[in-house]
């Protein structure tokens, strides 16, 4: 096994072992000991590093400096209001996929509409109307029917809508099939030949302004060639549309940049530079304003989930650490067989064991690690599940009538509860016996 020190390299300096008050080595988030947060706020507990989120936004801005661009943070990755406020404070816009996400954005950034793009295959009439009234930057339309509804709604409200067609470039993202979106058998986007017809149609609508071309081929993509290929097809389409007289000002390159869940493999600066090259090379000379919709790359590595070991258990020779977090708190391992590194918050022993780490939920799929080599820990010890800042808390549920976990944002020496733990009464409030 890699030593825990080494395995944390990519999350430094935000997450690192340091000598705690006790003199023992403990995992910290910035200047705050995770053990102290767990003692104070209970577990399971999501903890985020503000410094890492700012650093990632900054790295994006630097990598894309050669081209006029707007970062539209993908709200779905982590939509807790305080995170959205932090992101908005850095001057960043948002990518939303529902009316609810748009409302969240306005709570966090009341005047933020001018930097919002609205994506998604199933926008309802009410959602389109809300976005139109708010005056967002761009609608990424995904079908002829959606375009028709948008045009009719815009005409009724006498509000102009700037549109891009989200094209489906038929490029394989080479990622998990559930989060791969760029092949024609996926529900997303419009194949490029059909998109050309839609642009011609849109240009005839009095309240639609053809403004861009959009693409998003999937998530957790680590093969940069796939971005380059998709953007190459987008660039060809932009040239063709311009020849036909369309004023294409924006290319929306979507999100999808993957992170290294398995520990130290290069550093983020190098990854983002390679990503920027892949996106920018095909757009060279095109003179467009680039929109980017990163989610995971901004917040993924900035969050950990703290869980306490409730019980140790051995069935024949198979070992289990039963922790107090479950698949309702963090679904990624169950849903995608996703790998998340797990470390012990206090470093007590150099001894290791091969064990499963599982939750209390009544499903065999309720696991965080299987046959994993981990340091030997006791009942009552605290574990940190790493890289859960994206698609962690947002995928939480009340399965088994468990309240959703609390969330804490650390900024230097300060730690703020940004979402309190959900109580039983919170859950009951919705029901009508
Ligand atoms: N833009 C669009 C249109 C998207 O559909 C997505 C993600 C993004 C941007 C942001 O992608 P990112 O930069 O975060 O890769 N729950 C899954 C991931 C689902 C991604 C959905 N769409 C997971 O836990 O891996």
């Amino acid at each position: 096994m890699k030593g825990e020190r080494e395995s944390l390299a990519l999350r430094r300096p935000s997450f690192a072992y340091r000598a705690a008050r006790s003199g023992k080595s403990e995992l910290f988030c910035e200047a705050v000991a995770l053990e102290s947060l767990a003692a104070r706020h209970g577990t399971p507990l999501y903890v985020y590093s503000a410094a890492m989120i700012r650093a990632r936004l900054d790295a994006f801005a630097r990598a894309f400096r050669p081209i006029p661009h707007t970062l539209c943070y993908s709200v779905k990755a982590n939509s807790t209001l305080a995170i959205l406020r932090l992101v908005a404070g850095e001057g960043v816009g948002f990518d939303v996929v529902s009316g609810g996400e748009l409302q969240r954005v306005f709570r966090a950034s009341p005047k933020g509409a001018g930097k919002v793009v609205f994506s998604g295959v199933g926008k309802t009439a009410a959602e389109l109307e809300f976005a139109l009234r708010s005056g967002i930057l761009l609608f990424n339309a995904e079908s002829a029917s959606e375009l028709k509804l948008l045009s009719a709604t815009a005409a009724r409200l006498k509000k102009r809508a700037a549109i891009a067609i989200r094209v489906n470039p038929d490029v394989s993202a080479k990622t998990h099939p559930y989060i791969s979106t760029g092949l024609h058998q996926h529900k997303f986007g419009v194949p490029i030949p059909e998109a050309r017809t839609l642009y011609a149609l849109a240009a005839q609508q009095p309240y639609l302004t053809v403004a861009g071309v959009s693409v998003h081929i999937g998530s957790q993509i680590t093969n940069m060639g796939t971005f380059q290929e998709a953007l190459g097809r987008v660039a060809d389409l932009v040239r063709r549309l311009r020849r036909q007289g369309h004023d294409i000002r924006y290319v929306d390159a979507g999100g999808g940049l993957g992170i290294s869940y398995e520990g130290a493999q290069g550093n983020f600066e190098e990854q983002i530079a390679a990503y920027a090259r892949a996106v920018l090379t095909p757009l060279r000379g095109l003179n467009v304003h680039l929109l980017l919709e990163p989610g995971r790359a901004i917040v993924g590595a900035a969050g950990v989930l703290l869980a306490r070991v409730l019980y140790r258990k051995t069935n024949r020779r198979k070992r289990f650490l039963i922790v107090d977090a479950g698949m309702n708190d963090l679904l990624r391992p169950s849903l995608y067989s996703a790998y998340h590194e797990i470390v012990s918050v206090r470093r007590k022993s150099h001894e290791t064991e091969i064990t499963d780490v599982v939750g209390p939920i009544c499903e065999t799929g309720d696991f965080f690690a299987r046959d994993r080599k981990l340091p030997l820990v006791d009942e009552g010890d605290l574990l940190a599940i790493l890289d859960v800042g994206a698609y962690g808390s947002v995928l939480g549920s009340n399965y088994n009538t468990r309240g959703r976990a609390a969330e804490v944002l650390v900024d230097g020496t300060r730690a703020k509860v940004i979402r309190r733990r959900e109580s039983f009464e919170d859950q009951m409030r919705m029901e009508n016996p």
Side-chain angles (χ1 to χ4, degrees):
M1 185 182 69
K2 286 173 274 168
E4 282 169 30
R5 275 181 205 281
E6 292 75 52
S7 75
L8 275 165
L10 261 190
R11 297 91 176 178
R12 276 197 204 130
S14 285
F15 295 96
Y17 283 98
R18 297 194 198 170
R21 277 207 193 113
S22 59
K24 296 235 171 71
S25 181
E26 275 189 35
L27 188 58
F28 277 63
C29 176
E30 303 191 21
V32 179
L34 291 175
E35 189 72 63
S36 72
L37 289 178
R40 182 146 182 195
H41 305 293
T43 48
L45 185 71
Y46 276 98
V47 181
Y48 308 112
S49 158
M52 190 182 293
I53 295 173
R54 286 197 204 97
R56 296 279 157 121
L57 290 172
D58 195 50
F60 260 91
R62 271 183 283 121
F64 285 94
R65 197 166 284 154
I67 186 171
H69 71 274
T70 305
L71 273 188
C72 297
Y73 165 70
S74 193
V75 172
K76 66 176 80 65
N78 187 319
S79 56
T80 308
L81 277 184
I83 303 283
L84 300 186
R85 280 194 57 196
L86 172 78
V87 167
E90 300 296 300
V92 167
F94 296 98
D95 156 50
V96 301
V97 289
S98 71
E101 285 191 350
L102 189 53
Q103 279 178 290
R104 272 187 184 272
V105 164
F106 291 143
R107 286 280 170 96
S109 172
K111 294 191 179 132
K115 287 186 184 173
V116 172
V117 300
F118 191 1
S119 312
V121 289
K123 306 178 191 79
T124 65
E127 287 173 327
L128 290 176
E129 179 162 343
F130 174 43
L132 273 163
R133 287 187 191 279
S134 318
I136 64 164
L137 175 66
L138 190 68
F139 289 82
N140 286 327
E142 300 214 22
S143 65
S145 302
E146 180 192 337
L147 209 56
K148 206 166 132 198
L149 179 59
L150 180 62
S151 169
T153 314
R156 177 165 53 79
L157 301 176
K158 299 200 165 36
K159 296 257 185 206
R160 290 197 79 79
I163 67 114
I165 305 291
R166 173 171 173 187
V167 298
N168 182 320
D170 205 20
V171 168
S172 166
K174 303 188 176 80
T175 180
H176 191 284
Y178 287 9
I179 53 175
S180 203
T181 57
L183 286 175
H184 65 84
Q185 66 263 37
H186 301 138
K187 69 180 174 180
F188 296 98
V190 178
I192 289 178
E194 277 151 71
R196 293 206 302 268
T197 317
L198 290 193
Y199 277 106
L201 211 83
Q204 292 164 6
Q205 308 304 309
Y207 282 90
L208 299 187
T209 305
V210 169
V213 177
S214 146
V215 72
H216 171 82
I217 54 172
S219 194
Q220 185 50 21
I221 299 171
T222 50
N223 178 324
M224 297 303 125
T226 60
F227 288 116
Q228 188 153 345
E229 205 178 329
L231 267 304
R233 292 185 192 184
V234 165
D236 288 344
L237 177 62
V238 170
R239 285 189 202 95
R240 194 161 176 155
L241 292 170
R242 281 180 172 167
R243 280 199 299 275
Q244 289 161 355
H246 298 290
D247 181 17
I248 304 293
R249 287 168 283 146
Y250 296 107
V251 163
D252 181 342
L257 175 61
I259 62 172
S260 305
Y261 283 98
E262 308 214 9
Q265 300 156 17
N267 65 41
F268 187 69
E269 301 289 328
E270 285 163 13
Q271 286 165 17
I272 182 87
Y275 173 66
R277 272 196 303 280
V279 171
L280 295 181
T281 305
L283 301 181
R284 200 168 286 151
L286 215 52
N287 194 17
V288 286
H289 186 106
L290 178 66
L291 303 172
L292 294 159
E293 304 173 358
R296 188 190 318 261
I298 305 295
V299 291
V304 300
L305 176 61
L306 300 181
R308 240 181 240 290
V309 178
L310 296 173
Y311 302 108
R312 296 182 56 90
K313 175 169 174 172
T314 307
N315 280 353
R316 299 248 170 96
R317 301 238 297 285
K318 178 98 184 156
R319 296 180 182 211
F320 297 95
L321 292 176
I322 300 168
V323 299
D324 63 0
M327 65 191 282
N328 75 299
D329 301 300
L330 176 66
L331 187 60
R332 302 194 74 256
S334 309
L335 189 57
Y336 315 109
S337 303
Y339 179 93
H340 284 271
E341 247 182 281
I342 300 177
V343 298
S344 151
V345 169
R346 279 207 172 122
R347 316 181 82 225
K348 299 204 302 197
S349 151
H350 290 291
E351 251 183 283
T352 60
E353 65 179 335
I354 305 283
T355 181
D356 281 18
V357 180
V358 301
I361 288 180
C362 299
E363 300 230 11
T364 302
D366 179 32
F367 65 88
F368 298 118
R370 285 188 152 157
D371 294 325
R372 184 84 61 89
K373 194 169 186 180
L374 288 179
L376 204 56
V377 293
D378 294 320
E379 294 178 353
D381 283 353
L382 190 62
L383 298 179
I385 306 174
L386 305 185
D387 304 319
V388 299
Y391 309 109
S393 63
V394 282
L395 283 167
S397 77
N398 291 125
Y399 191 34
N400 283 198
T401 308
R402 290 166 52 85
R404 301 210 10 210
E407 296 173 59
V408 168
L409 180 63
V410 172
D411 196 353
T413 53
R414 281 178 305 146
K416 182 179 167 194
V417 176
I418 56 172
R419 186 185 158 104
R420 70 166 169 79
R421 189 172 302 286
E422 194 178 21
S423 69
F424 174 69
E425 287 308 325
D426 289 333
Q427 289 188 61
M428 289 302 102
R429 206 161 291 147
M430 312 299 297
E431 299 193 23
N432 196 4

